[in-house]
Amino acid sequence: MAEFLTPKADKTRVSKIPKTPINIPPSPFMKKLGFGTGVSVFRWDRSPRPDATRSPWAVKKLNKRDLPQFIEQRLQKEAELLKSLKHPNIVGFRACVPGKDGRMTLAMESCESSLADRIEDRRNDGMGPFESEVILKVALGVARGLDYLHREKKILHGDMKSYNILIKGNFDEIKICDFGVSMPLLPDGSVSDPDNFVGTSVWSPPEAVGLSDGPVSSQVDIFAFGLVLWEMIALQIPHTDDLDESDFEVSITEDELENRIGMMQIFLSSKSTRPALPPVDLNDSYNSIMEIFYCCTEQDPSVRPTAQLLVEWLEDLTGEKPMGKGGDEILVDH
């Protein structure tokens, strides 16, 4: 029998098919989800087509036209990087186009909420730590995303925290987002220019904030990963016990909040980088979670586990099947 060959696409024909223009509406016509340095994120509920419904997009836009150039460069870099990533635990790229106001806009897959939102809701409802099985599920999803970034794409996320972990449904999908300060990794797992590291200090390890001589490497993400587990137990931001609640008032302006965050980071950089456990009762089902937390938040980055080891550990704990390259599930014969 002759070998079957897939017919090659007619590139000349494909190039003649006009692309549907993407017309992202102005900010006032979208729901605001959050903001960062110089940018805001909105939910765009796209109008359905006659033949299909369309999923909502998350839209990241520059706040002003006269922002420092590095902020626009950061958004461009994030768009280019996100376009190259394809993994079920990484938020999906959708488009990068100028909005109707002329400002650069990055459109991404939309999720229902961030892990930080879920933590805040649980704290406001007066509930205790997340169930151990939920923490392990989030941990495995994030670890798989980090393993893909570190080993396959050679990328340091650089700002791992609950705000940059997105959740769909009842923790049905867990996705890492916000790659604006990501850095390329060298073959040994370190970054070539550690002085340009930009993270959030309360999630940063000692080597990243000048408290130790260790290299800035993929282990920065591992330390922050450990603090995310702590967040799901403590239901608060790490190292914020001594701060006044007014520092988190929602009525202040975005510029005021960013200034306060900057001042808090200067203060917090001198605090212990492994937060004390909150006074909550944890049953034996949390033992493995606490073991992972302690391993990931070791002061010495060389003794922290890799993302690959975390994935293997968590797959064993949860009974989840391993995933193949690019996130495809591997069927294992037992």
Side-chain angles (χ1 to χ4, degrees):
M1 180 183 292
E3 183 181 1
F4 174 78
L5 298 176
T6 302
K8 294 183 178 179
D10 184 347
K11 295 182 179 179
T12 58
R13 183 183 177 192
V14 171
S15 63
K16 294 179 182 179
I17 299 176
K19 294 183 178 180
T20 303
I22 299 173
N23 296 315
I24 296 177
S27 303
F29 295 93
M30 296 185 289
K31 178 183 177 182
K32 191 169 185 177
L33 299 176
F35 63 89
T37 303
V39 297
S40 294
V41 182
F42 302 87
R43 176 186 168 100
W44 177 24
D45 293 309
R46 300 183 300 152
S47 301
R49 297 185 309 198
D51 58 338
T53 58
R54 300 199 292 180
S55 62
W57 285 359
V59 175
K60 182 180 284 191
K61 302 181 69 173
L62 297 171
N63 288 336
K64 304 173 184 176
R65 295 179 186 273
D66 56 349
L67 288 168
Q69 188 176 14
F70 81 88
I71 294 179
E72 183 170 4
Q73 291 173 342
R74 183 182 292 179
L75 187 57
Q76 290 174 336
K77 170 190 164 187
E78 179 178 9
E80 292 170 3
L81 175 57
L82 195 58
K83 191 174 182 179
S84 71
L85 303 178
K86 189 175 183 180
H87 189 276
N89 298 114
I90 304 291
V91 68
F93 172 86
R94 295 295 181 260
C96 185
V97 295
K100 289 188 175 181
D101 55 7
R103 286 178 286 178
M104 183 179 175
T105 302
L106 169 60
M108 302 164 286
E109 172 186 14
S110 179
C111 295
E112 294 170 13
S113 59
S114 70
L115 178 59
D117 294 330
R118 302 288 179 106
I119 290 172
E120 182 179 1
D121 289 343
R122 194 171 180 90
R123 182 177 67 245
N124 291 341
D125 291 341
M127 303 178 71
F130 283 88
E131 294 81 4
S132 57
E133 58 268 26
V134 172
I135 297 177
L136 289 172
K137 190 171 186 178
V138 171
L140 177 56
V142 175
R144 282 172 167 171
L146 289 178
D147 184 38
Y148 167 75
L149 292 174
H150 294 172
R151 286 202 300 149
E152 187 168 333
K153 306 304 291 187
K154 306 298 181 186
I155 292 168
L156 170 72
H157 182 277
D159 199 17
M160 182 55 49
K161 54 189 177 184
S162 57
Y163 293 89
N164 291 337
I165 298 170
L166 302 179
I167 307 296
K168 281 188 177 182
N170 187 23
F171 294 91
D172 301 315
E173 295 181 44
I174 295 96
K175 296 177 183 283
I176 299 172
C177 69
D178 200 343
F179 293 84
V181 298
S182 298
M183 303 178 73
L185 293 172
L186 298 172
D188 66 355
S190 66
V191 301
S192 61
D193 193 359
D195 291 338
N196 282 334
F197 173 81
V198 179
T200 306
S201 64
V202 294
W203 283 273
S204 297
E207 69 269 18
V209 294
L211 298 180
S212 76
D213 296 329
V216 176
S217 67
S218 58
Q219 297 303 83
V220 167
D221 286 341
I222 300 302
F223 187 94
F225 171 90
L227 293 189
V228 169
L229 304 186
W230 183 92
E231 286 185 83
M232 296 188 74
I233 292 173
L235 304 183
Q236 66 183 61
I237 296 173
H239 304 305
T240 55
D241 294 2
D242 299 331
L243 295 178
D244 191 275
E245 290 184 3
S246 64
D247 288 321
F248 299 95
E249 289 176 357
V250 296
S251 59
I252 64 176
T253 67
E254 293 179 12
D255 288 341
E256 288 173 337
L257 181 57
E258 288 182 8
N259 288 336
R260 289 190 183 184
I261 290 173
M263 293 300 294
M264 284 191 290
Q265 289 182 350
I266 294 172
F267 167 72
L268 294 168
S269 65
S270 63
K271 293 178 70 70
S272 172
T273 52
R274 177 191 278 164
L277 291 174
V280 294
D281 293 327
L282 301 175
N283 59 40
D284 290 346
S285 68
Y286 291 86
N287 289 348
S288 296
I289 296 170
M290 299 317 304
E291 186 175 0
I292 295 172
F293 162 68
Y294 277 107
C295 289
C296 290
T297 54
E298 288 284 356
Q299 299 289 295
D300 182 354
S302 67
V303 299
R304 296 173 203 150
T306 62
Q308 180 183 10
L309 181 57
L310 286 172
V311 170
E312 294 171 358
W313 195 352
L314 288 159
E315 285 175 345
D316 184 59
L317 287 170
T318 61
E320 290 282 337
K321 296 176 181 178
M323 300 181 76
K325 186 176 181 180
D328 296 327
E329 202 170 59
I330 296 177
L331 299 179
V332 180
D333 294 329
H334 293 284

